[in-house]
Amino acid sequence: MRRFLWFPVALLLLGGCAAPIEEQAADKARDEAREIMRRLHGHRVWPATAVRCFELRFSVKNDWDEEPLDADCPPGRPLTFEPWPKTPEIPDEKLDKALPHMPSGGEVDEREVREAVASLGLDPAVHVEIGSKDGVVGVLLRVKPYLSDAFDCTLARVAPGSTSVWSPPRIQRMPGEGGCFLGSALNPLRPPH
């Protein structure tokens, strides 16, 4: 009987302690928030009162970590710059869907390929070349991204029984490497080693 009496008494004690602990935690958090408000109340937020301008010189004769020179600031508001230009996207998947898929033994019509590419409504910055040789039509879509060495480049080859769209490896998309030309679409280069 003593065991059964001890259990309800313990529950009452534990239950009674839980509420004051939560209240104490809430009071402590409220006190800390109040202290932060008091500290910030008298302070005002001021914009920077000093404007500093520096002169930067770029030359092959400069040291790598040369200190910038103080300079007089130009009159008027500080200069602002537009965001970097966006590179137009080449829609590979849309191109693949738009191009004709000829059955084996059929003939590829270059005019039909040109119409399919025109239907994509490409950005004028995308360079487009379309040509044919030996019953195969090749497509080149190329754009030079801002501040990048490699072209964004998509090639397509439409032949009887086979239509394929791909982007050459980066090494072949570098200027002068020969991977981003119409000839690469008509006669694909082997992948680099």
Side-chain angles (χ1 to χ4, degrees):
M1 174 114 168
R2 286 185 184 171
R3 269 192 264 171
F4 295 114
L5 268 176
W6 177 249
F7 184 68
V9 171
L11 282 177
L12 285 174
L13 288 175
L14 289 176
C17 292
I21 291 173
E22 288 179 13
E23 289 175 16
Q24 289 175 3
D27 289 344
K28 183 170 172 102
R30 192 175 294 108
D31 290 343
E32 289 181 17
R34 192 177 294 121
E35 181 62 27
I36 291 169
M37 279 181 50
R38 286 181 186 144
R39 287 184 183 188
L40 293 177
H41 179 70
H43 299 309
R44 291 187 181 197
V45 178
W46 295 95
T49 55
V51 175
R52 300 295 305 242
C53 295
F54 297 95
E55 181 179 327
L56 304 177
R57 295 179 185 209
F58 298 94
S59 166
V60 294
K61 298 176 184 175
N62 288 12
D63 288 334
W64 178 82
D65 60 349
E66 187 174 309
E67 289 290 321
L69 304 172
D70 287 339
D72 293 332
C73 293
R77 297 183 59 111
L79 297 174
T80 58
F81 300 93
E82 295 292 323
W84 295 115
K86 281 192 168 186
T87 302
E89 255 188 69
I90 298 175
D92 295 357
E93 290 178 17
K94 288 182 180 179
L95 175 64
D96 190 33
K97 289 178 183 175
L99 289 174
H101 293 263
M102 308 306 290
S104 294
E107 288 187 29
V108 181
D109 183 2
E110 184 179 331
R111 182 183 49 78
E112 193 177 341
V113 173
R114 288 182 181 279
E115 289 172 1
V117 172
S119 73
L120 297 175
L122 297 171
D123 188 293
V126 176
H127 175 76
V128 177
E129 286 183 44
I130 300 171
S132 58
K133 181 181 178 184
D134 301 328
V136 174
V137 177
V139 177
L140 162 70
L141 304 179
R142 180 180 63 209
V143 67
K144 181 85 164 63
Y146 192 69
L147 295 178
S148 175
D149 292 336
F151 289 104
D152 280 352
C153 173
T154 296
L155 300 173
R157 186 173 194 271
V158 182
S162 172
T163 296
S164 53
V165 175
W166 74 97
S167 182
R170 180 175 168 72
I171 189 68
Q172 291 180 353
R173 292 185 282 121
M174 298 299 284
E177 289 300 321
C180 268
F181 293 96
L182 182 59
S184 300
L186 293 168
N187 297 309
L189 294 174
R190 290 166 39 148
H193 43 37

